[in-house]
Amino acid sequence: MCGIIGYIGKNRAVSVLIDGLEKMEYRGYDSSGVCLCNEDKINIIKSVGKINNLKERIDYNKIFSYTRGIAHTRWATHGGVTLENAHPHRQGKVVIVHNGIIENAKELKENLQLEGYKFESDTDTEVIAALLDYYLEDDFLKTIEKAMKKLIGSYALGIVVEGKEDAIYVVKKDSPLIIGVGNGENFFASDIVAI
């Protein structure tokens, strides 16, 4: 089972996200990654192996002030254990983490390739990111509605969009997702026991 966590608030997002990933380590995983956002800047850092490997790749000075982000621990289902297959995935303006399996990913990917999308990974998750980017409009809730109608399978998603500085979008179907809000701090997690 993959693990996802997201945070938007006043604290350093990287600290909250890494702490959340470490609390999910007991479940096992093969890779991890974070997407950190501040205003219109998006930074994605991924690694294969232990979360310590991820921590070593992060330039904490560069992302010190970032207060929004999503993170992921992965068990490979679509594609092998590689840096390219680690989450988060980005297509266009959309960055996504995903728990679940999209059964019609191959068909969707072929259709999106005909529309000019190029894929760096073998994951069904990158297909969802491309689908959301394909349907992208100013009202991102309408984008989500259109894209989710095309998906067959299960999912819990954490999504950030370039240009939507104050938002993290979460969507679920047949996969667990917990959302918490308190003291102006917001987080979400996929099947997480403690935060």
Side-chain angles (χ1 to χ4, degrees):
M1 170 92 49
C2 302
I4 60 175
I5 184 164
Y7 172 81
I8 185 168
K10 297 176 185 171
N11 293 320
R12 290 176 58 191
V14 68
S15 300
V16 175
L17 296 173
I18 293 295
D19 183 56
L21 291 179
E22 289 177 331
K23 287 180 177 168
M24 290 188 281
E25 277 188 292
Y26 73 94
R27 296 160 36 146
Y29 57 93
D30 55 46
S31 58
S32 59
V34 295
C35 171
L36 298 157
C37 312
N38 196 21
E39 298 174 4
D40 62 349
K41 297 176 188 142
I42 293 177
N43 286 289
I44 297 173
I45 305 112
K46 307 190 241 187
S47 76
V48 173
K50 299 290 182 191
I51 292 171
N52 279 338
N53 297 349
L54 176 64
K55 289 164 69 172
E56 290 173 4
R57 295 178 63 106
I58 297 172
D59 181 348
Y60 290 87
N61 293 322
K62 185 177 180 181
I63 48 81
F64 181 81
S65 63
Y66 289 37
T67 57
R68 176 175 62 120
I70 54 179
H72 190 272
T73 55
R74 175 180 188 252
W75 270 118
T77 54
H78 284 79
V81 181
T82 66
L83 196 59
E84 293 80 18
N85 288 336
H87 296 211
H89 288 286
R90 181 174 188 161
Q91 280 282 349
K93 294 185 174 189
V94 177
V95 181
I96 188 171
V97 292
H98 166 224
N99 182 14
I101 295 178
I102 303 305
E103 297 167 16
N104 62 336
K106 184 176 183 236
E107 173 190 330
L108 291 170
K109 185 175 185 176
E110 290 169 355
N111 291 336
L112 287 161
Q113 286 172 320
L114 293 173
E115 295 294 333
Y117 283 88
K118 298 189 183 328
F119 293 85
E120 296 179 10
S121 77
D122 300 315
T123 67
D124 54 346
T125 303
E126 190 180 11
V127 173
I128 303 169
L131 191 64
L132 287 163
D133 186 72
Y134 178 75
Y135 285 116
L136 189 61
E137 56 182 271
D138 285 339
D139 184 345
F140 195 68
L141 296 179
K142 289 182 180 176
T143 299
I144 290 171
E145 185 179 340
K146 289 177 184 176
M148 296 309 108
K149 287 180 181 177
K150 300 290 185 182
L151 300 179
I152 299 171
S154 64
Y155 47 84
L157 309 174
I159 309 163
V160 293
V161 181
E162 185 180 302
K164 307 274 186 197
E165 294 87 18
D166 296 326
I168 296 176
Y169 299 89
V170 293
V171 184
K172 74 177 274 334
K173 177 183 177 252
D174 300 331
S175 284
L177 186 67
I178 302 163
I179 300 173
V181 179
N183 298 326
E185 306 291 311
N186 305 309
F187 69 87
F188 68 88
S190 169
D191 197 28
I192 187 171
V193 174
I195 294 198

